[in-house]
């Protein structure tokens, strides 16, 4: 009688993975909190720290589950646009979840907020990931000589770049 291979026995015992560990209230919405997923070019330990930073506060504190992934995708998408010079555009909506895909400065704000909330090891890894992206953003965008007159923009250097002319308010 043939013997079953150990891999075949283990395959039959596998359970379906749990995709959500709890629920999170953010504003007036309640949605499931996903387990940490893979973020491109970050270790599992850093991804777990990012997930804890995103879900750590009951009010959100400017973050939501998946904010880092959305901000990284938006940042990379903006830098992948063709052309020598890039001009960021202001978002129309005004809420953070809509602003991240539209405005690269808001995406960079989210990444900075996550970076400041991380423990030292994970912060170093995220900073190393952001350094070449920041260099390219600084190289491909034009500094705004009148940024000091616009105090509503933000404290980060990425807010002091020239925006697209049709987006001025």
């Amino acid at each position: 009688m043939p013997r079953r291979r150990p891999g075949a026995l283990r395959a039959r015992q596998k359970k379906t993975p749990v995709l959500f560990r709890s629920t999170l209230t953010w504003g007036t919405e309640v949605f499931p909190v996903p387990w940490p997923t893979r973020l491109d070019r970050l270790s599992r330990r850093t991804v777990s720290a990012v997930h804890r930073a995103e879900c750590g506060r009951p009010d959100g504190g400017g973050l939501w589950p998946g904010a880092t992934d959305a901000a990284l995708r938006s940042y990379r998408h903006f830098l992948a646009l063709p052309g020598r010079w890039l001009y960021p555009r202001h978002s129309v909506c005004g809420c953070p979840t809509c602003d991240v895909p539209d405005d690269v400065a808001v995406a960079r704000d989210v990444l900075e907020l996550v970076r400041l909330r991380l423990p030292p090891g994970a912060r170093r890894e995220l900073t190393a990931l952001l350094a070449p992206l920041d260099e390219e953003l600084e190289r491909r965008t034009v500094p705004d000589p009148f940024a000091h007159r616009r105090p509503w923009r933000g404290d980060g250097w990425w807010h002091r770049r020239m925006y697209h002319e049709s987006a001025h308010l």
Side-chain angles (χ1 to χ4, degrees), residues 129-149:
L129 176 71
L130 292 176
L133 298 174
D134 287 342
E135 288 174 9
E136 187 173 355
L137 181 69
E138 191 170 12
R139 183 179 60 82
R140 292 185 67 194
T141 56
V142 180
D144 187 0
F146 302 109
H148 65 281
R149 295 182 184 174

Side-chain angles (χ1 to χ4, degrees), residues 96-110:
T97 53
C98 297
D99 285 351
V100 167
D102 297 338
D103 191 354
V104 71
V106 175
R108 185 59 181 87
D109 283 339
V110 168

Side-chain angles (χ1 to χ4, degrees), residues 3 31 38 68 72 97 115-116:
R3 181 173 94 79
F31 54 90
R38 186 87 176 118
T68 307
L72 273 173
T97 53
R115 191 184 71 79
L116 293 175

Side-chain angles (χ1 to χ4, degrees), residues 2 26 28 35 43 49-51 64 71 73 80 97 108 121 135 151 153:
W26 189 65
T28 58
W35 284 104
S43 67
V50 165
H51 184 71
W64 61 94
R73 286 177 192 269
T97 53
R108 185 59 181 87
E135 288 174 9
R153 285 217 176 154

